[in-house]
């Protein structure tokens, strides 16, 4: 679900990997057209073969890209991504030349991909290529026992970023926090603490 910490988890994976010296790129497909998604990811080539626009995948070479809401990719982008995963190469939009890259792809979706596969909206082939190590990130309401530790983390980071001495909460505050409906998950909790 939104705000559950997917981006944070992708950072942890990247920072604790052999790719940590490379870039980590975050890309959310939400509210973008299929054409703009494709250009953002794969870039665009001029008629002379020079890059008009370097895509996010190329920018993540030797690093990691996190694609949020991967279910929004159109069929054409899905096929391009399959080729990239299979061959470590792709062509930019309007491109003639192949670009070779080495990138880790972490993806997430709030939609049920299995349902989209049944409706022929999402490629089963792409799903199995992306779903190598599945990580389910539950909503905060399904892990309320984590809330006190998360509160302490946000208190520490928010105090530091605001130049304040470390703050703490009373036990009553912790108990109250577990009864609040945090539909915005970690994002909402962080904002409340801030």
């Amino acid at each position: 679900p939104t705000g559950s910490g997917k981006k944070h988890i992708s950072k942890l994976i990247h920072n604790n990997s052999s790719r940590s010296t490379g870039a980590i790129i975050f890309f959310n497909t939400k509210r973008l057209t299929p054409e703009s998604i494709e250009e953002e990811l794969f870039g665009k080539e001029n008629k002379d073969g020079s890059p008009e626009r370097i895509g996010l995948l190329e920018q993540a070479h030797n690093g990691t890209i996190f694609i949020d809401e991967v279910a929004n990719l159109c069929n054409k982008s899905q096929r391009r991504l399959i080729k990239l995963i299979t061959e470590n190469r792709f062509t930019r939009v309007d491109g003639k030349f192949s670009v070779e890259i080495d990138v880790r792809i972490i993806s997430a979706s709030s939609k049920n991909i299995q349902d989209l596969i049944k409706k022929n909206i999402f490629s089963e082939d792409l799903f199995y290529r992306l779903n190598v190590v599945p990580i389910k990130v539950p909503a905060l309401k399904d892990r309320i026992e984590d809330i006190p530790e998360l509160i302490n983390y946000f208190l520490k980071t928010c105090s530091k970023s605001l130049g304040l001495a470390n703050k703490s909460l009373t036990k009553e505050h912790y108990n109250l926090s577990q009864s609040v409906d945090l539909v915005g998950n970690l994002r909402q909790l962080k904002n409340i603490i801030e």
Side-chain angles (χ1 to χ4, degrees):
T2 184
S4 59
K6 302 178 296 276
K7 188 175 177 181
H8 183 69
I9 289 170
S10 66
K11 271 189 205 175
L12 288 172
I13 292 169
H14 174 77
N15 291 338
N16 289 289
S17 76
S18 60
R19 295 177 180 275
S20 62
T21 57
I24 181 165
I25 305 287
F26 301 100
F27 179 54
N28 191 330
T29 65
K30 217 173 195 175
R31 296 185 196 91
L32 295 176
T33 65
E35 296 78 25
S36 60
I37 289 172
E38 194 164 22
E39 284 187 22
E40 284 286 328
L41 276 177
F42 298 98
K44 190 172 166 95
E45 209 168 271
N46 289 312
K47 287 185 170 58
D48 66 358
S50 63
E52 177 182 317
R53 176 186 200 166
I54 300 294
L56 297 175
L57 286 162
E58 237 174 304
Q59 292 174 41
H61 177 58
N62 290 326
T64 304
I65 186 165
F66 172 62
I67 305 173
D68 200 4
E69 298 304 339
V70 72
N72 293 339
L73 296 181
C74 68
N75 287 334
K76 188 175 178 185
S77 294
Q78 289 179 42
R79 287 192 304 274
R80 279 181 186 261
L81 206 50
I82 290 169
K83 180 175 179 162
L84 169 65
I85 293 168
T86 307
E87 302 174 10
N88 290 334
R89 60 179 55 248
F90 66 94
T91 53
R92 296 183 190 104
V93 174
D94 297 333
K96 298 180 181 87
F97 302 106
S98 187
V99 178
E100 190 170 329
I101 62 167
D102 180 10
V103 65
R104 168 184 284 129
I105 300 171
I106 300 174
S107 60
S109 179
S110 59
K111 297 176 183 171
N112 185 321
I113 300 284
Q114 295 292 348
D115 290 343
L116 298 177
I117 290 170
K118 288 176 190 167
K119 295 174 184 173
N120 289 323
I121 296 171
F122 198 85
S123 164
E124 186 172 25
D125 190 20
L126 179 57
F127 172 73
Y128 286 117
R129 290 173 194 274
L130 292 174
N131 196 38
V132 176
V133 180
I135 301 171
K136 185 168 174 60
V137 183
L140 263 183
K141 67 179 175 139
D142 298 326
R143 53 184 174 136
I144 58 170
E145 67 280 357
D146 292 344
I147 291 176
E149 190 173 335
L150 290 166
I151 287 173
N152 288 332
Y153 172 78
F154 289 134
L155 279 170
K156 184 178 176 183
T157 58
C158 289
S159 294
K160 185 177 178 181
S161 71
L162 296 171
L164 302 171
N166 281 341
K167 302 289 180 185
S168 62
L169 295 181
T170 65
K171 186 173 181 153
E172 291 78 28
H173 286 119
Y174 284 112
N175 292 337
L176 180 63
S177 70
Q178 293 185 340
S179 65
V180 175
D181 189 15
L182 295 166
V183 290
N185 292 297
L186 292 182
R187 192 173 299 127
Q188 182 183 359
L189 180 62
K190 180 182 182 275
N191 290 341
I192 289 169
I193 297 301
E194 197 168 34

